[in-house]
Amino acid sequence: MKGRKLLMIPGPIEFEPDVLQAMSIATNSHVAPDFIEIFGKSLELMRAVWKSPKGQPFIISGTGTLAMDMAAANLIELGDRVLVISTGYFGKRFKDILDRYGANTTILEAPIGEVVSLDAIEKELKQGQYKFLTITHVDTSTGILVDPKPIAHLAKKYNVLSILDGVCSVAGEELKQDEWELDVVLTASQKAIGVPPGLALLMASEKAMQVWENRKTPVSNYYADWNNWLPIMRAYEERRPSYFGTPAVNLIVALETSLKIICKEGIDQRVKRHQNLAKSFRAGIASLNLEILPKTNTIAANTLSAVYYPEGINGTSLSATMVESNVIIAGGLLPEIKPSYFRIGHMGSVSSNDLIAVLSALERALIELGHPIESGKSLQAFQNGLLKIN
Ligand SMILES: *Cc1c(COP(=O)(O)O)cnc(C)c1O
């Protein structure tokens, strides 16, 4: 395995060997009894990971964007008022999707590195006659973490349904869908869920399903229409064969394997691991006098970090130099500041060993490119973070 590269971007991530192995078994029929069992079990395990015993899970071939598209297509009717709470690139994408289905959207955009205040959200909800609001749990373009709980609480107060883009958070950040009364929580396979790209995963509350059932107009997207998929999800859960569109059999076998790994670790334990590693990693970054995008650590994601390049360092050279140390990182994504920062994913199977490899590759690259830092400093800060020494 010499020369094997460590993929430390915010999705796709490093996958568990058992997950990759599950992907590679001979493709089964989508109506074979053992595949029906795997699909059914995956739906059940999703409820545990989302903490949504009452939710309706959907597993569909596609990316995270399809999960967003599916939520909008099924829930939005022409002219519905939607408040988009945006902390970066993916908030704006949600607005674009909602607009496409005829929603009447208002976007509240946080300044770069910040979140939208609860006061600003409440002020809008008070006067806006909104039907829905959307939250990006972790915006992967900025590394900003939003606390969905108080926003969902406000949504409830004003009788507004809440949709959470959890593509970069589910199975990495704290989430209690039913307790927090979030109506839709969606994600994709390749992020903290830990399965190669290709699955859109969504959990809808009973209320969201009612709103969909009570639509006055048909869903204007054929593939995403829950009329086509709900009977399929129900059939698999009841362990009956069914067909609408051929499911991604190998990916779903891998999904079941990953969900079992997640539940075996324990979802709370897993979130804690992400928090501990991220906090120590940020301490390592700070020790090099590098600045992260989020203005404070309390709104910094635990699934990835977005870090500004230091003065005088060229982004392309930094990532190219790190690749020579077999560590792959991602560049910026937010158009306004794209060339000025980089991103490191630390979710899913991530371990302290991975992050030591990242920090040491980062230090060497910075030194080689002529940036004055003290070698080993971030490693010490990271270790102290893990050991809880300040
Ligand atoms: C990655 C991501 C998406 C888009 O997912 P794709 O699988 O790339 O379509 C949407 N929202 C967030 C927060 C993401 O991190």
Side-chain angles (χ1 to χ4, degrees):
M1 289 305 254
K2 262 203 180 129
R4 194 180 70 89
K5 292 190 172 33
L6 203 52
L7 186 59
M8 300 303 289
I9 66 172
I13 60 165
E14 286 286 325
F15 300 117
E16 296 281 358
D18 284 356
V19 170
L20 293 176
Q21 205 161 5
M23 280 281 299
S24 69
I25 62 170
T27 306
N28 206 343
S29 159
H30 59 288
V31 290
D34 31 344
F35 178 70
I36 292 176
E37 177 57 33
I38 285 170
F39 202 131
K41 188 77 194 165
S42 300
L43 292 165
E44 289 164 11
L45 290 169
M46 272 178 70
R47 289 207 185 84
V49 173
W50 270 244
K51 294 201 176 170
S52 181
K54 292 195 219 140
Q56 173 59 54
F58 290 88
I59 301 173
I60 315 283
S61 303
T63 76
T65 307
L66 177 76
M68 297 165 84
D69 200 52
M70 179 174 263
N74 284 280
L75 294 172
I76 298 301
E77 292 190 79
L78 207 63
D80 281 349
R81 295 275 290 131
V82 185
L83 182 64
V84 175
I85 300 161
S86 176
T87 40
Y89 180 91
F90 289 105
K92 288 181 203 158
R93 174 171 292 185
F94 225 153
K95 176 178 161 38
D96 287 346
I97 295 170
L98 291 157
D99 285 342
R100 188 65 66 91
Y101 290 104
N104 178 358
T105 50
T106 298
I107 186 163
L108 281 177
E109 281 189 69
I112 293 172
E114 297 176 39
V115 294
V116 179
S117 74
L118 288 175
D119 284 347
I121 296 168
E122 180 152 25
K123 197 167 149 235
E124 238 348 287
L125 291 178
K126 216 176 249 171
Q127 53 186 347
Q129 300 272 307
Y130 286 99
K131 187 162 170 195
F132 296 96
L133 62 78
T134 71
I135 310 161
T136 314
H137 200 177
V138 169
D139 201 302
T140 320
S141 69
T142 51
I144 296 274
L145 169 70
V146 173
D147 183 1
K149 193 177 163 184
I151 302 177
H153 189 77
L154 279 180
K156 190 157 187 280
K157 180 170 167 190
Y158 291 95
N159 200 22
V160 171
L161 279 89
S162 52
I163 302 174
L164 185 74
D165 172 353
V167 178
C168 201
S169 70
V170 173
E173 300 282 1
E174 191 187 16
L175 170 70
K176 296 174 179 167
Q177 181 170 358
D178 284 10
E179 193 186 312
W180 295 351
E181 299 187 73
L182 290 160
D183 292 295
V184 172
V185 178
L186 58 90
T187 191
S189 52
Q190 77 276 18
K191 305 224 175 143
I193 286 276
V195 176
L199 292 178
L201 307 169
L202 184 148
M203 187 77 71
S205 71
E206 286 172 312
K207 204 157 106 199
M209 294 311 290
Q210 266 165 24
V211 167
W212 167 73
E213 270 165 31
N214 295 336
R215 285 181 68 97
K216 292 184 186 68
T217 52
V219 172
S220 64
N221 177 323
Y222 182 75
Y223 181 70
D225 191 345
W226 286 343
N227 275 302
N228 292 324
W229 291 112
L230 183 60
I232 308 301
M233 300 304 134
R234 288 205 170 130
Y236 276 115
E237 248 196 306
E238 290 159 13
R239 309 299 195 262
R240 288 184 284 110
S242 64
Y243 168 75
F244 168 64
T246 312
V249 171
N250 293 59
L251 279 171
I252 290 165
V253 177
L255 174 67
E256 192 218 15
T257 306
S258 194
L259 291 171
K260 279 182 172 163
I261 291 171
I262 292 168
C263 291
K264 191 168 173 219
E265 179 178 10
I267 188 68
D268 295 342
Q269 269 312 107
R270 186 176 173 93
V271 168
K272 201 159 277 161
R273 168 166 61 82
H274 282 77
Q275 289 170 345
N276 288 339
L277 287 174
K279 190 176 175 195
S280 305
F281 185 71
R282 287 193 296 268
I285 292 292
S287 76
L288 301 175
N289 290 322
L290 299 185
E291 201 188 326
I292 57 170
L293 253 79
K295 291 261 163 73
T296 65
N297 279 326
T298 49
I299 56 165
N302 298 300
T303 48
L304 86 152
S305 292
V307 185
Y308 286 110
Y309 294 116
E311 191 79 39
I313 289 289
N314 168 294
T316 324
S317 330
L318 184 77
S319 48
T321 310
M322 286 181 72
V323 169
E324 284 167 26
S325 304
N326 293 319
V327 172
I328 300 170
I329 61 165
L333 180 62
L334 197 67
E336 300 93 302
I337 52 166
K338 195 177 159 86
S340 66
Y341 73 107
F342 61 101
R343 296 171 304 148
I344 288 155
H346 35 76
M347 63 186 117
S349 66
V350 66
S351 71
S352 55
N353 295 353
D354 297 336
L355 291 178
I356 283 175
V358 172
L359 289 171
S360 72
L362 176 63
E363 282 194 358
R364 286 200 303 280
L366 288 171
I367 293 167
E368 277 174 36
L369 295 171
H371 186 70
I373 56 154
E374 194 186 317
S375 136
K377 204 164 178 194
S378 72
L379 300 172
Q380 186 181 27
F382 182 70
Q383 297 278 39
N384 287 346
L386 292 183
L387 294 165
K388 305 205 187 320
I389 301 169
N390 286 314

